[in-house]
Amino acid sequence: MPPALLALALGAFGIGTTEFVIVGLLPELADDLSVSIPSAGMLVTGYALGVVVGAPLMTAAGTRLPRKTMLLLLMGVFVAGNALCALAPGYGVLMAGRLVAALCHGAFFGVGSVVAAGLVAPERKASAVALMFTGLTLANVLGVPLGTMLGQHFGWRSTFWAVTALGVAGMLGITALVPRQGRDTGNGLRAELAVFRLPQVWLALAMTTLGFAGVFASFTYLAPMMTGLAGFSAPAVSWLLVLFGLGLTVGNVVGGRAADRALMPTLYLVLGSLAAVLVVFVFTSGNRITAAVTIAVFGAVGFATVPPLQMRVMQKAQGAPALASAANIAAFNLGNALGASLSGTAIDHGLGYTAPNWIGAGLAAAGLGVALLSGALDRRSALRARPGPGSTAPEPFDREEPGRHDDHARYV
């Protein structure tokens, strides 16, 4: 395992903590800032929208920068945004700090995915990407629960100061472990933008948006759901987040390995399973034991989608993966915003705390539909490109085979 992957995972740990820790602190934030729970939930939506805007803009701005330099600059923005959150006198400035921190998120994971994939052999690319995203899953196992407990005992500002320190640690790790790299030798921004003419790239982004909208439709309101329906105390939410994080870690690893073997079948399986688990959660959320078990399974299935979704868009980007990869991170967070917003609206209209699970299941099922359409187009393209009897025409480059993905190493 290249040491650089550990540095990328460390940066992902800090970013993942600041993204998700707000979920465990919604009741405290709402009370301290004198806003409603759905209004506090907009801090999740606002961050996600910041990622949607920042991912393509920051990646495009850094197209000609060395990858390592770009990663360090992004972590610097992350540190500044979280320090602003910690110092925020009210809701407006806190939202502004969240938006600043969000600007670096998509570009970091987008550029980091390309770096990670270029550090290993072609047949291990999805596993390398999954290893970088392990930092994100560990953020849910360790960072989010500890940050939630810290905020509950010492105030939510202490959580943001701790996250700021994580950002500084991430910068040090990247400085020490990520090898220095030259400038991109490709055609720059024009080549990166060209991939967005491809329908399959847009279908990949759509399945990411819908699939992760399903995850966040439920996850955003996990704390009030568990305290209001299952009867857990507020401190117990931290341990439920640990269960969710453990599920994420398992799902991330399994999803990466499965995607290296068979990418599209993995996507069909995990998106379908996600929809099914969320339907089950509607009926298990009222009991402590069944809710806790479902939360762990939900985490595993939800994050098993990440490596195959990220590899799908990189595969279809055909030689210009950086901006497309960052755009897919934006798609993840557009899904976060969509899911959180729809669920918040449902709760505001009196549909109760089980409504987010129904909404999430429907969104995940829609993502599965897009995946099935994309796979059907792959098969149609392969049939059209298949050589006739006696022909020596080569295999189509875009044909998917187990363990085979486009080689992006030369762009890192």
Side-chain angles (χ1 to χ4, degrees):
M1 177 178 62
L5 290 177
L6 295 177
L8 294 173
L10 180 60
F13 180 81
I15 292 174
T17 298
T18 201
E19 179 180 18
F20 297 121
V21 75
I22 203 80
V23 173
L25 295 174
L26 284 186
E28 287 75 19
L29 280 163
D31 182 63
D32 188 57
L33 299 173
S34 299
V35 297
S36 67
I37 287 287
S39 294
M42 288 300 293
L43 292 167
V44 177
T45 303
Y47 184 95
L49 293 176
V51 176
V52 172
V53 174
L57 290 181
M58 299 290 279
T59 305
T63 299
R64 295 295 184 182
L65 289 176
R67 303 284 189 202
K68 181 174 181 176
T69 301
M70 184 62 177
L71 291 172
L72 288 171
L73 288 174
L74 293 169
M75 289 305 297
V77 173
F78 172 81
V79 168
N82 282 285
L84 181 60
C85 288
L87 295 168
Y91 182 86
V93 178
L94 177 58
M95 179 66 81
R98 293 281 289 171
L99 290 171
V100 171
L103 290 176
C104 77
H105 182 124
F108 181 88
F109 281 103
V111 173
S113 293
V114 178
V115 172
L119 291 170
V120 297
E123 66 273 10
R124 297 188 60 199
K125 288 182 182 295
S127 294
V129 172
L131 183 57
M132 184 192 73
F133 276 91
T134 297
L136 195 59
T137 64
L138 289 177
N140 286 274
V141 176
L142 299 175
V144 171
L146 291 175
T148 299
M149 287 188 283
L150 186 66
Q152 289 172 344
H153 287 87
F154 299 103
W156 57 266
R157 296 178 192 279
S158 64
T159 299
F160 283 105
W161 281 123
V163 171
T164 301
L166 285 175
V168 174
M171 293 181 72
L172 294 175
I174 292 168
T175 301
L177 298 176
V178 173
R180 185 172 297 278
Q181 298 158 347
R183 296 177 183 271
D184 196 339
T185 58
N187 295 322
L189 184 58
R190 181 176 298 179
E192 297 282 350
L193 288 171
V195 303
F196 293 102
R197 300 193 190 112
L198 303 173
Q200 283 284 27
V201 170
W202 287 104
L203 288 175
L205 295 174
M207 69 178 79
T208 294
T209 300
L210 292 168
F212 237 58
V215 174
F216 261 71
S218 176
F219 178 67
T220 300
Y221 294 98
L222 189 63
M225 189 190 305
M226 290 299 95
T227 55
L229 296 180
F232 284 103
S233 65
V237 171
S238 297
W239 297 107
L240 293 175
L241 292 175
V242 171
L243 280 178
F244 185 80
L246 290 171
L248 293 185
T249 304
V250 173
N252 180 59
V253 174
V254 173
R257 291 179 179 176
D260 276 329
R261 297 189 188 97
L263 182 55
M264 290 308 293
T266 298
L267 278 172
Y268 303 150
L269 177 62
V270 295
L271 289 171
S273 298
L274 175 60
V277 168
L278 286 170
V279 170
V280 170
F281 202 12
V282 172
F283 303 101
T284 61
S285 58
N287 178 276
R288 292 185 184 184
I289 295 176
T290 58
V293 172
T294 308
I295 285 170
V297 177
F298 173 35
V301 174
F303 225 77
T305 64
V306 174
L309 286 170
Q310 189 70 1
M311 283 308 305
R312 179 63 174 177
V313 76
M314 290 172 68
Q315 179 195 67
K316 293 303 177 183
Q318 294 188 359
L323 188 56
S325 181
N328 201 48
I329 302 300
F332 277 115
N333 284 271
L334 179 60
N336 296 355
L338 175 64
S341 178
L342 289 175
S343 292
T345 300
I347 292 170
D348 273 341
H349 283 77
L351 298 181
Y353 284 123
T354 58
N357 296 325
W358 284 119
I359 292 169
L363 290 166
L368 173 60
V370 175
L372 290 169
L373 172 61
S374 182
L377 292 177
D378 271 351
R379 292 189 293 274
R380 180 182 298 179
S381 296
L383 286 173
R384 287 177 177 175
R386 182 174 295 172
S391 172
T392 58
E395 292 279 336
F397 179 74
D398 193 44
R399 181 181 177 186
E400 182 185 3
E401 297 175 1
R404 176 180 174 180
H405 302 296
D406 295 347
D407 186 358
H408 302 299
R410 61 186 182 279
Y411 296 97
V412 179

